[in-house]
Structures are given as structure tokens and as C-alpha cells.
Amino acid sequence: SCLMAFKRKVVFFIFALGLISLILSVLWDSSSLCHLYQNDMSGFKRGRDDFLKLPNIDCSRNAPFLVILVTSRLGQMEAWMAVRNTWGKERVIAGKRIVTYFLLGNNSRPYDQIGIITENILYKDIIQKDFMDTYYNLTLKTLMGLEWIHKFCPQSTFVMKTDCDMFVNTYYLTELLLKRNSTTKLFTGAINMHGNPIRDVNSKWYVSKEEYPGENYPPFSSGTGYVLSIDVARAVYVVSKKIPFLKLEDVFVGLCLAELKIQPEELDSGPTFFASSIPFSPCHYKKIITSHYHTPAQIILYWDAMERTIDEGCPSDQGSSPI
Ligand SMILES: *[C@@H]1O[C@H](CO)[C@@H](O)[C@H](O)[C@H]1NC(C)=O
Ligand SMILES: *[C@@H]1O[C@H](CO)[C@@H](O)[C@H](O)[C@H]1NC(C)=O
Ligand SMILES: *[C@@H]1O[C@H](CO)[C@@H](O)[C@H](O)[C@H]1NC(C)=O
């Protein structure tokens, strides 16, 4: 009977343990649900590290190969949808996962906040912090993206920064990144090796001598599209704190790279990143990475035409075209 009593105690103990863990898991679930709800509905609740919005991803469990960060503003919902349905759609290419998120500042108009909250509930692909969302704050926006990578997704392999009026061929980009055989020390894009500050006060890119006294810019990539390996992205974020602020985000990233002594490199034998608009043809677009100044309708049209013919050969392929 002593044995019986012992057995009963064991059974009771196991039962109690099960009950406690059930209660705990329910509590845990509801508290995280509640947190999600507050995060979305208020729109004003600060998340970790002052981020107002964070995308729905746990990089420690399922790290992406490439994270594409798209600088954007409010009132570009149509462009966001075009990007989400084309190159920005989460997909796996050559076994590598690619995800795309939008970078936003704070446009203080309450009506716009409602728009962001709704978008964020539906898509969970927005990274937002509380800074004024203006053209000259683009540097802050880009740094916010790199901060997010540094703090929330250091497990990813590459990061791309681009805009939402861009065509981005993620297939060719992935192919070239894999061909490179190395996942470190990369900075690539539409490289400008010999840029100078524009001193004409009427220019959009005007920079005064106070803002930048130098005669030349270090090598930098056009902000329309550049790619960094994760080590470089994190190093740029860390070193950015000691580089004097410059409103031109692409030059600012160039200044960070110069400080880090990282040379931009080309991914291919010819140019592939274009800051201009490249006339569309499926064969041409298969061998470029970016093209600029596209409407949402163009992005959709070009993407569909390119993707439909992705496995077909092109005249320029030497010997690799199917018969
Ligand atoms: C956005 O900016 C406005 C005006 O500066 C401020 O009142 C508001 O609290 C900010 N919103 C968030 C979510 O931080
Ligand atoms: C950039 O954002 C900061 C923080 O919200 C703000 O103080 C500053 O005025 C903004 N700068 C520009 C040029 O809009
Ligand atoms: C990458 O490795 C493959 C196979 O080892 C090789 O054929 C290719 O030339 C390498 N590419 C570069 C850019 O080094």
C-alpha cells in the first residue's frame, strides 16, 4: 500500500505539472496577443529601442538570405502594393529566402497614422521610428534600417537598400551574390567613384561648405540601390555615430565606408545597377539588377513579363540557351 500511495503521488504530481504549464502557456499567449494589439491599435506605443513599428519576423529562427529595405513615404500605397506583388514578395530563389520591408518616418498627421496602422495590420512589413519624414531626413531613414538589421536581424546574409519606384531583379541579384562565393566584405551598387559636392543653391543635391567642406566625395553608390553584406551593414551602422551628419544618405554611407576602408566592388563584369531608367525588354532585364523611375503599373508589367520568360534563353547567352 505504501507503493500504491507513492504511485498516486507521482500521478498527481504529473497531473499538477501539466495543469500549471497549460495555465502558464495561456497566460503567455494572451499577454503577447495583448502586446501585439496595443502595438497596432495605438500606433503611438513605443516598441523596443524606440521603434514604432517592427515587421513580423523572427530572424533568430528563420534567417533570410537577403533583406530588402525600401525607403518610402506615406501616400505611396499603390507603389507599396506593386512592390509587394512583384520583386518585394517574400520568395525563395535558389534555396535562399528574400524578404522586403518598408522604412517610414513619422508623418504627424493623424489620418496618415491610421493608414500606416491598417497597412501594418494587413502586411506587417513596416519599420518605423519617430523622426520627421522629410527628404532631407533620408539619412535617418536609412540608418534606421541598418539599426534594425543590427539589432533585430543580424542573422541575415545580405541587405539591400532601395526605393519604391525601382525595378529590382531579385533573381539575377541572388544569382550574382551566390556566384561571388563570399558572404562578407561586400558593398556594391551603382558606384560613383568621383563625385563632388554640388555648390549650386538651386540644386536638390546642394551641399554648403559648412555641411561638407571637402572638394570630393569618397566612392559611394547611388541610393537607388545598393547591397551590403551583413558585416558591412553592421559596421556602417556602428561607425555612423561618429561620422558628421550629411543629408545625402548615399554620400553619407560612402563616408562610413571610407572610414571603414571598405572599397565598393562590382558584382558582374559589366554594370548591373542602374540609377536611370532602362528601356524594357525581358532579355535585357534578366541581366540587370536595378532600373529607376518606374510607375507601379510598369513594375507589375515588367516583372510579370520577365518572370514568365525567366527559364527561356536569350540571344546573348553563349551556349546556354535551350534548343
Ligand atoms: C509624430 O510626431 C508628432 C509631432 O511631432 C508627435 O506629436 C507624435 O507623438 C509623433 N508620433 C509618434 C508615433 O511618435
Ligand atoms: C529630421 O527629423 C528630426 C527628428 O524628428 C527633426 O528634428 C528634424 O527637423 C528633421 N530634419 C529635417 C531636415 O526635416
Ligand atoms: C565560385 O566557386 C565556383 C566553384 O568553386 C567557381 O567555379 C567560381 O569561379 C567561383 N566564383 C568566383 C567569383 O570566385
Side-chain angles (χ1 to χ4, degrees), residues 179-319:
K179 247 189 204 162
R180 188 174 168 267
N181 289 347
S182 160
T183 56
T184 59
K185 294 206 170 55
L186 174 70
F187 181 84
T188 188
I191 311 294
N192 186 344
M193 292 301 288
H194 306 285
N196 304 93
I198 293 174
R199 304 296 191 195
D200 171 4
V201 292
N202 297 315
S203 167
K204 184 182 178 185
W205 297 285
Y206 167 68
V207 168
S208 70
K209 285 223 160 94
E210 287 71 44
E211 287 171 289
Y212 188 85
E215 290 292 311
N216 303 299
Y217 287 144
F220 68 95
S221 164
S222 156
T224 53
Y226 52 82
V227 177
L228 317 88
S229 53
I230 197 72
D231 56 324
V232 174
R234 300 186 75 182
V236 166
Y237 171 70
V238 171
V239 86
S240 71
K241 295 177 195 305
K242 61 173 194 176
I243 304 292
F245 186 83
L246 192 68
K247 64 193 180 198
L248 305 179
E249 64 99 9
D250 42 11
V251 179
F252 182 80
V253 170
L255 291 166
C256 294
L257 294 169
E259 177 72 21
L260 295 166
K261 303 201 164 42
I262 291 166
Q263 288 287 325
E265 68 177 78
E266 297 288 351
L267 264 192
D268 208 356
S269 47
T272 45
F273 289 85
F274 294 94
S276 57
S277 176
I278 302 298
F280 180 77
S281 87
C283 276
H284 196 179
Y285 267 48
K286 278 183 214 172
K287 299 287 176 195
I288 67 167
I289 295 170
T290 64
S291 174
H292 193 194
Y293 301 117
H294 295 300
T295 63
Q298 282 173 333
I299 293 175
I300 293 167
L301 196 69
Y302 296 173
W303 180 266
D304 287 347
M306 188 198 72
E307 216 179 25
R308 242 194 343 263
T309 58
I310 200 96
D311 295 323
E312 292 171 18
C314 284
S316 59
D317 298 354
Q318 281 114 19

